[in-house]
Amino acid sequence: MIRVVVADDSAFMRKVLSDLFEKTPGFQVVGTARDGREAVKLVAKERPDLLTLDINMPVMDGLSALEIIMKDCPVPVLMFSSLTRKGADETLRALELGAVDFLCKTGGSISKIDAIEADIIDKCRSVAGAKINKSKINKNIFAKKQEAGNLKRINIFERKGYNVAQPQTPASIKPKSAQEKLASSVQQHKQGLTSMLAKRENPLLKKKAAPVYAGSSSGSGTKLVALGTSTGGPRALQQVIPKLPGSMPCGMVVVQHMPAGFTKSLADRLNSMSQVTVKEAEDGEPILPGHVYIAPGGYHLTVAGNASNRAISLNQDPPLASHRPAVDIMFDSVVKYGGDIVSVILTGMGCDGAAGMKKIKRAGGYVIAESDETCVVYGMPKSVVEAGIADEVLPVGQIADAIMKKVRN
């Protein structure tokens, strides 16, 4: 039985979540809280198996409550967030403080929430089973941004692939083949041109000027690192990417299961900590050495081009097993590079990435999986390890060194 405390200042959300848990076998609501202070007291009293915690609450906000809980009485926590810019930074802050995962709040009727209740339950089961450890708190992890004019609401329907409003690429731009996009983008970058797309265009599909290394977009080598992760991924990435040297001779592409609005904050956070350049990937940009490209939430990331000229390609094809971006789709796109690929799978629920890694292994690529001892959720790496295709199974703290050893060979 998973014993749950629900903390939310919205009576509507408390009722919806409580009703959902109570009607689901294996769950029991042992208390509800209207603010962070009540949540702290309830957790200390009930010691639940799961706490669902809203970020924006009166008296004591969710982040303050979470910091106290993780210091004094750590339990698995699922955060609820409702804003993209400020909320994205706050959500990543919550993951730093020890929350296992998050969901975006949805507005509207109970019927809309009913449509994704299976996803909520699956997420809660995963979080309740996660490993929780006390961690050091860095009070300066994220700079507070007060750009209130840029805030907008998002919801968790995007994670399930439901038809929600999203910016669209103008119809005047004709689809190009991967090779055409690559050739065009590389030429633009070499000439130092800035994007010529109109402001109304989808910002994730804009092409920006970027420095190009002499020789090829992949530098002196032809290696490419492809990494996939999910639950627990933001913290795991902070133990991998900041350890990579700025002289890394190749690029890296990353799929982290996250909805739209959060991956930009994740990339910016990692970039501030790292010697390599970390950014949210843009369609058509060349893959440069010493750069890490994180797939935008809501977009699949694939890699196009040959070994000496590779570029990012983004699309909004249907989700794969509810994921967009999906790790398997990224892995499938790099199989063609064979032995040049160093693939990595980190903590996460489910098995996304295992099928793609089997193909990479058969093509001569290298496979690294995070070990059970450091995974928050030993799901995705477990699928790879049990398939017998991992070349190395390592605690997360050793993975950056393993990557560098392979790409320098």
Side-chain angles (χ1 to χ4, degrees):
M1 182 68 68
I2 298 174
R3 301 171 66 254
V4 187
V5 166
V6 176
D8 200 298
D9 67 325
S10 165
F12 170 76
M13 286 300 296
R14 292 198 303 273
K15 174 175 173 52
V16 168
L17 290 174
S18 295
D19 289 349
L20 174 57
F21 290 131
E22 291 293 357
K23 75 178 183 179
T24 303
F27 285 86
Q28 177 189 2
V29 177
V30 296
T32 61
R34 295 169 295 180
D35 57 59
R37 185 176 298 172
E38 288 186 4
V40 171
K41 292 179 180 178
L42 264 176
V43 167
K45 176 184 177 183
E46 299 292 344
R47 301 296 178 104
D49 303 304
L50 171 68
L51 167 66
T52 68
L53 183 62
D54 186 24
I55 289 180
N56 300 301
M57 293 188 294
V59 183
M60 179 185 289
D61 62 68
L63 292 180
S64 299
L66 177 65
E67 185 170 352
I68 294 171
I69 289 167
M70 297 312 294
K71 284 182 177 178
D72 300 338
C73 185
V75 298
V77 177
L78 177 68
M79 301 299 298
F80 277 83
S81 176
S82 58
L83 300 172
T84 56
R85 292 185 65 89
K86 181 171 179 287
D89 286 344
E90 288 174 335
T91 299
L92 291 174
R93 168 66 169 161
L95 297 177
E96 283 282 346
L97 291 173
V100 176
D101 210 340
F102 71 97
L103 283 172
C104 303
K105 263 191 173 181
T106 178
S109 65
I110 292 180
S111 63
K112 288 186 178 180
I113 296 175
D114 287 345
I116 44 86
E117 64 181 21
D119 184 54
I120 295 174
I121 291 299
D122 286 345
K123 180 75 74 173
C124 286
R125 283 200 178 100
S126 173
V127 170
K131 300 172 186 175
I132 301 299
N133 295 309
K134 290 185 178 181
S135 58
K136 295 180 180 179
I137 305 302
N138 181 352
K139 295 183 179 180
N140 296 315
I141 287 175
F142 289 100
K144 294 183 179 180
K145 298 179 181 180
Q146 302 298 330
E147 300 172 307
N150 292 323
L151 301 180
K152 64 177 182 179
R153 293 192 174 274
I154 61 174
N155 61 63
I156 61 179
F157 294 102
E158 293 175 345
R159 298 183 67 257
K160 297 292 289 180
Y162 289 95
N163 186 20
V164 295
Q166 299 187 32
Q168 300 295 319
T169 305
S172 60
I173 299 180
K174 297 180 180 179
K176 296 181 179 179
S177 68
Q179 291 296 332
E180 288 174 330
K181 287 196 294 184
L182 174 59
S184 175
S185 177
V186 171
Q187 182 62 28
Q188 287 184 11
H189 283 263
K190 285 183 177 180
Q191 294 175 350
L193 296 178
T194 58
S195 172
M196 298 299 290
L197 300 178
K199 291 182 179 180
R200 63 188 176 89
E201 292 178 337
N202 188 330
L204 291 174
L205 298 182
K206 294 199 308 184
K207 299 175 178 60
K208 295 182 180 179
V212 174
Y213 288 69
S216 73
S217 66
S218 293
S220 59
T222 59
K223 297 289 188 180
L224 176 67
V225 183
L227 184 153
T229 187
S230 185
T231 309
R235 274 186 288 169
L237 290 172
Q238 289 186 18
Q239 297 183 66
V240 176
I241 294 176
K243 293 182 178 180
L244 300 173
S247 60
M248 185 171 70
C250 67
M252 174 188 285
V253 287
V254 175
V255 163
Q256 160 73 60
H257 292 161
M258 269 188 169
F262 290 83
T263 45
K264 177 65 164 59
S265 290
L266 175 63
D268 290 347
R269 166 61 186 148
L270 289 169
N271 187 57
S272 72
M273 302 169 64
S274 304
Q275 299 175 60
V276 292
T277 298
V278 187
K279 67 187 300 292
E280 188 179 58
E282 296 178 72
D283 189 59
E285 65 179 322
I287 296 175
L288 304 174
H291 285 61
V292 177
Y293 304 87
I294 297 179
Y299 288 76
H300 291 305
L301 182 153
T302 62
V303 179
N306 56 38
S308 61
N309 259 333
R310 299 190 182 111
I312 301 292
S313 181
L314 303 178
N315 68 73
Q316 288 188 303
D317 290 344
L320 178 64
S322 82
H323 300 303
R324 190 174 65 197
V327 180
D328 270 325
I329 286 178
M330 178 184 69
F331 281 168
D332 283 351
S333 75
V334 301
V335 171
K336 57 182 173 285
Y337 304 122
D340 284 345
I341 297 301
V342 177
S343 60
V344 183
I345 197 79
L346 301 181
T347 175
M349 176 178 66
C351 61
D352 188 21
M357 274 188 153
K358 289 178 183 178
K359 298 174 186 177
I360 289 172
K361 179 71 172 181
R362 286 197 296 267
Y366 200 75
V367 174
I368 301 173
E370 183 181 354
S371 60
D372 185 13
E373 63 189 281
T374 59
C375 281
V376 174
V377 177
Y378 190 52
M380 289 160 58
K382 181 180 180 181
S383 297
V384 171
V385 173
E386 290 187 343
I389 59 173
D391 293 294
E392 292 188 79
V393 181
L394 301 169
V396 69
Q398 298 178 21
I399 287 177
D401 287 341
I403 290 172
M404 291 309 302
K405 180 179 179 181
K406 290 304 299 182
V407 301
R408 283 175 170 160
N409 284 347

